[in-house]
Every structure is written in C-alpha cells, then in structure tokens.
Amino acid sequence: MSDDFQLKKPSQEGGEGGWALTLADMMTLLLCFFVLLLAIADVDQNKYKNVSESLAEAMGVESPRSRDGSSVARMSISQDQRNIFEMQLEMSRLVGRETDALNIKMRPDSVAIILKGNFFFRSGHADLTPGAIKVLDQIVSTLAKSPYDIVVEGHSDNIPINSKQFPSNWELSSARASAVARYLLDHGFSKQRIKVMGMADTQPMYPNEDEKGNPIPENQKRNRRVTLLVFPPKADTAKK
C-alpha cells in the first residue's frame, strides 16, 4: 500500500504546477503550427519550404544536418516575403483576420485586405459609409508609414447597373476603388505608391450564378468588394 501511495504522490520538486508547464508547451507548439498553416495557405511547395525554414530560424531551431554531420544549406526566405508576413500579422492585430467589415488573406506576393462592399458602401453608391471610415482609420496610419505599394481593386457582382452617374459596373467599381484610394491619400499615403483599378464583375470570388443560371444572392454580396493588395516596394524604389 505504501508503494502505491508513493506512486500517486506528486513530486515535491515539480509540485502541482508541472502540468501547467506541459500545457503551455503544447499550446506554444499548436500556435506555431497554426501560424505555419496560415503562412503557407495557397502557396506552392517551394514557398512552404521557405516559410518553414524562416519559422525554424525565428524559433531558434538549429539548421538540419546531413548524414555526414555537415550543415545542410538553408533556403532563406526573401526579405519581401518576411515583410508580407509581418504586414499580415500587423493588419490582423489592428482589425482581426475577418470581421463584418473586412477579411485579410496572405498571397504569395502580397497581402490582400478585402473590404466588404455592403459594409463600405450603400447599394449603387460609391461614398464611404461612416462605419467604413472608422475601419479605415484603424489601418491607414500603419499603411501610410509603411514602405509598401498598394493596388486598390474595385469589384462588383454581375447585376447590371445603369444610372446617370454609373452607366455600368465598370464605372461603379472604379469609383469605389477611387474612394478608398482618396481616403488613403488624404491621410498620408504617397500617391507614387498607389494604383487604382476597376474590375467590374470580371474576377468574382464566388460564382454569381448556379449551373442553371439562377442568381446566388449571398455570393453576389461577397463579390461586391474593394481589395487592397499590399506589395513590398520594388527594389529600385526601396533604394531611394
């Protein structure tokens, strides 16, 4: 009985906090795992290797060794890719990865900040809503201080518009993208680092219609958006 009791008795050195340390280690590993999944989403195998090597370096993991014990050459991730990943984390910290107003996604060459159309604009209009201005206020100073280039894309659904102000979705999508761009410029973003494009309904994120040609309202709603593509500066620009 005494031996059984000794087996069940907690260690005097570890005390009751030993399990907490183990749990903390596990949570840290899980966090690193999910950050890795986030970083390699929609990226090819080479990008996967680059990002995994970068994370290993950041966490202090030693370089892998070959069978003869020599250090294996590490494929270093480019500074541009590091900057993209850091920008995504910064934007996510400011506004969250996905809210009622926007969604943030990492691409191989940029960070996409997707501004949801129904939140940022009234139907058939290109003026920013008060809620949209509050959201932009959270990110505009960070973007303005960054060295990054931005392409502002306006996207519409496939529902035709024909008003005096907007004869088609080309004009509407361009006007909405321009409204966001003007707000960035008015708050310190450099006009040399921004481009505006109206895409109309040429690049839907989701099918506007089903196989029978019936509209899918929820998808049409998602396709109405303005996307900020945040790119690292070009090499020649960065040197200036």
Side-chain angles (χ1 to χ4, degrees):
M1 294 294 293
S2 61
D3 290 340
D4 292 340
F5 177 76
Q6 291 297 331
L7 289 173
K8 297 177 181 178
K9 186 177 180 180
S11 170
Q12 293 297 325
E13 294 181 359
E16 297 182 356
W19 66 269
L21 181 60
T22 302
L23 178 62
D25 289 341
M26 182 184 71
M27 295 302 293
T28 301
L29 290 174
L30 285 174
L31 176 61
C32 292
F33 174 71
F34 284 117
V35 169
L36 177 60
L37 289 180
L38 174 67
I40 66 174
D42 299 326
V43 181
D44 62 22
Q45 188 65 24
N46 289 331
K47 293 293 195 310
Y48 167 83
K49 292 179 180 178
N50 286 340
V51 173
S52 62
E53 293 284 352
S54 177
L55 289 175
E57 180 181 354
M59 291 184 288
V61 179
E62 294 183 359
S63 300
R65 302 279 173 175
S66 63
R67 291 183 179 180
D68 61 3
S70 61
S71 178
V72 177
R74 183 188 300 274
M75 277 198 314
S76 60
I77 190 171
S78 70
Q79 187 60 43
D80 285 353
Q81 291 168 318
R82 291 179 187 272
N83 289 341
I84 291 170
F85 186 60
E86 290 172 1
M87 172 57 77
Q88 183 194 32
L89 294 180
E90 177 66 9
M91 293 295 101
S92 298
R93 183 186 68 80
L94 292 174
V95 295
R97 271 189 56 79
E98 182 163 10
T99 68
D100 292 336
L102 56 79
N103 186 15
I104 299 175
K105 293 185 177 181
M106 186 172 180
R107 298 186 179 184
D109 60 346
S110 63
V111 173
I113 305 174
I114 303 170
L115 312 178
K116 300 180 180 180
N118 284 11
F119 184 92
F120 274 76
F121 304 98
R122 293 183 295 121
S123 178
H125 292 77
D127 298 319
L128 294 169
T129 64
I133 292 175
K134 290 182 180 180
V135 172
L136 288 176
D137 281 343
Q138 297 180 58
I139 64 175
V140 66
S141 61
T142 298
L143 290 175
K145 295 175 183 176
S146 76
Y148 303 150
D149 298 327
I150 288 184
V151 175
V152 187
E153 295 181 345
H155 299 269
S156 70
D157 55 29
N158 65 332
I159 301 175
I161 185 173
N162 186 8
S163 65
K164 184 176 181 180
Q165 186 177 8
F166 306 116
S168 73
N169 281 325
W170 290 105
E171 286 80 9
L172 177 61
S173 62
S174 298
R176 287 181 169 179
S178 297
V180 174
R182 282 197 305 272
Y183 194 86
L184 297 180
L185 295 174
D186 290 343
H187 290 78
F189 199 87
S190 172
K191 65 180 181 180
Q192 281 76 28
R193 296 190 290 112
I194 195 167
K195 294 181 180 179
V196 178
M197 301 178 65
M199 312 298 290
D201 61 338
T202 60
Q203 294 186 8
M205 293 178 63
Y206 306 93
N208 285 300
E209 299 175 343
D210 61 22
E211 296 178 353
K212 296 181 179 180
N214 299 315
I216 307 175
E218 186 61 27
N219 285 359
Q220 291 174 326
K221 175 182 176 181
R222 294 176 179 179
N223 288 331
R224 297 191 290 268
R225 67 199 189 278
V226 171
T227 299
L228 303 180
L229 296 178
V230 185
F231 293 89
K234 297 179 180 179
D236 56 346
T237 303
K239 294 178 182 180
K240 294 181 179 180

